[in-house]
């Protein structure tokens, strides 16, 4: 049975703007659990080895979706590069949650999908967004974080915050592309205006879904203690640590190999086993 790969599906969000999604699945005549992958900060759907990961999920019997947030800096014409830094600068958590809602609405109606089995997998900041969405949306019954954050308060502090407010923008260097990527002050205002909604601790405690927390012990971007914290907050969660794994579980951009890096392969297998066990 051939793997179906639908790339660059255009999704319209009236609250943000048009963005792209991919769907991977096998048409076996049965309705498949929907697994949605949520990328993180400076991430995008085609980064690194995400396509290979998507194929492995589809081979295992899932309808796997990955997508670009509308304001992640890529464009519908060129989803592989940060060609719209203005959009990146105007991104915020409200827009990301809105986009994720559009993805869930769209693909849960697909005739190949069992809309009573919906799982979110969020990487890094996408893990935090996935936790909040799971708390808010009762349709989601599985939640997996990969190197996920335990707070969305990841902003400059003190004098740096005052400078940001006064200047209206601060820039973060993209180490790979060497682009200076803007963050307009509206990002922080959106957080402050929705601080209760964006409380990951509260959302983790209230989330009704089965939860799996995966983290590398040598994550250089999000400390492993954040995974341990999430595990304490959700008493029915499972914590799975991968010894010596980094923030992207061995993947990088570009990924030219035809197989997954060993750590990301272990991550994917653990996710597949978890979903099959909990959503059977």
């Amino acid at each position: 049975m051939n793997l179906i790969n639908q790339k660059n599906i255009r999704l319209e969000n009236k609250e943000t703007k048009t963005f792209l999604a991919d769907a991977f699945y096998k048409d076996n005549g049965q309705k498949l659990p929907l697994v949605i992958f949520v990328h993180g900060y400076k991430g995008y759907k085609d980064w690194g080895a995400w396509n290979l990961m998507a194929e492995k999920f589809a081979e295992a019997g899932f309808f796997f979706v990955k997508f670009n947030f509308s304001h992640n800096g890529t464009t519908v014409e060129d989803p592989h590069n940060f060609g719209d830094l203005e959009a990146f600068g105007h991104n915020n958590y409200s827009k990301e949650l809105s986009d994720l809602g559009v993805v869930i609405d769209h693909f849960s109606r697909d005739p190949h999908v069992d809309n009573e089995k919906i799982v979110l997998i969020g990487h890094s900041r996408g893990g935090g967004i996935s936790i909040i969405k799971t708390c808010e949306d009762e349709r989601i019954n599985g939640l997996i974080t990969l190197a996920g954050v335990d707070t969305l308060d990841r902003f400059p502090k003190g004098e740096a915050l005052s400078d940001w407010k006064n200047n209206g923008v601060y820039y973060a260097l993209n180490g790979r592309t060497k682009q200076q990527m803007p963050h307009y002050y509206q990002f922080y205002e959106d957080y402050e205006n929705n601080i209760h909604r964006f409380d990951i601790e509260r959302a983790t405690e209230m989330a009704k879904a089965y939860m799996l927390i995966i983290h590398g012990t040598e994550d250089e971007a999000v400390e492993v203690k954040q995974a341990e914290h999430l595990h304490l907050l959700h008493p029915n969660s499972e914590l799975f640590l991968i010894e010596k794994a980094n923030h992207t579980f061995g993947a990088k951009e570009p990924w030219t190999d035809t197989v997954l890096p060993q750590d990301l392969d272990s991550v994917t297998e653990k996710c597949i086993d978890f979903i099959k066990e909990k959503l059977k």
Side-chain angles (χ1 to χ4, degrees), residues 152-168:
L152 289 178
D153 184 6
R154 300 173 67 83
F155 299 103
K157 301 287 190 283
E159 186 176 345
L161 179 61
S162 298
D163 289 344
W164 187 17
K165 182 177 182 179
N166 293 333
N167 297 328

Side-chain angles (χ1 to χ4, degrees), residues 2 7 13 26-27 35 37 41 47 75 77 88 93 100 103 113 146 148 154-155 165 175 180 198 219 222 227 234:
N2 291 332
K7 295 279 288 183
N13 185 353
K26 281 187 168 182
D27 188 359
V35 178
F37 177 73
Y41 177 59
W47 184 92
T75 66
E77 295 80 20
F88 183 91
Y93 299 139
L100 181 51
V103 173
V113 163
L146 309 180
R154 300 173 67 83
F155 299 103
K165 182 177 182 179
Q180 291 286 348
F198 297 157
D219 190 321
V222 179
H234 194 295

Side-chain angles (χ1 to χ4, degrees), residues 15 29 54 62 71 95 99 116 131 149 180 196 208 249 254:
E15 295 181 354
F62 300 110
H71 285 68
K95 289 174 181 174
D99 290 339
E116 294 185 356
I131 290 170
V149 298
Q180 291 286 348
H196 183 64
K208 300 286 198 297
F249 304 98

Side-chain angles (χ1 to χ4, degrees), residues 43 53 65 78 113 116 127 145 148 150 156 165-166 179-180 195-196 202 210 217 240 249 251 258 262 265 274-275 277:
M53 183 179 72
V65 171
D78 182 7
V113 163
E116 294 185 356
T145 62
D150 66 353
K165 182 177 182 179
N166 293 333
Q179 291 169 288
Q180 291 286 348
I195 196 163
H196 183 64
R202 179 188 69 88
Y210 298 107
T217 61
F240 185 69
F249 304 98
T258 57
Q262 183 176 350
D265 191 58
F274 177 83
I275 298 169
E277 176 192 350

Side-chain angles (χ1 to χ4, degrees), residues 48-57 255 257-261 268:
W50 297 148
N51 280 312
L52 292 174
M53 183 179 72
E55 291 172 1
K56 184 157 185 167
F57 272 97
W255 185 256
D257 206 333
T258 57
V259 296
L260 285 166
T268 306

Side-chain angles (χ1 to χ4, degrees), residues 147-148 215-224 244-249:
H215 219 97
T217 61
E218 295 188 7
D219 190 321
E220 71 285 3
V222 179
E223 292 179 297
V224 69
K244 298 185 177 180
N246 67 3
H247 187 59
T248 56
F249 304 98

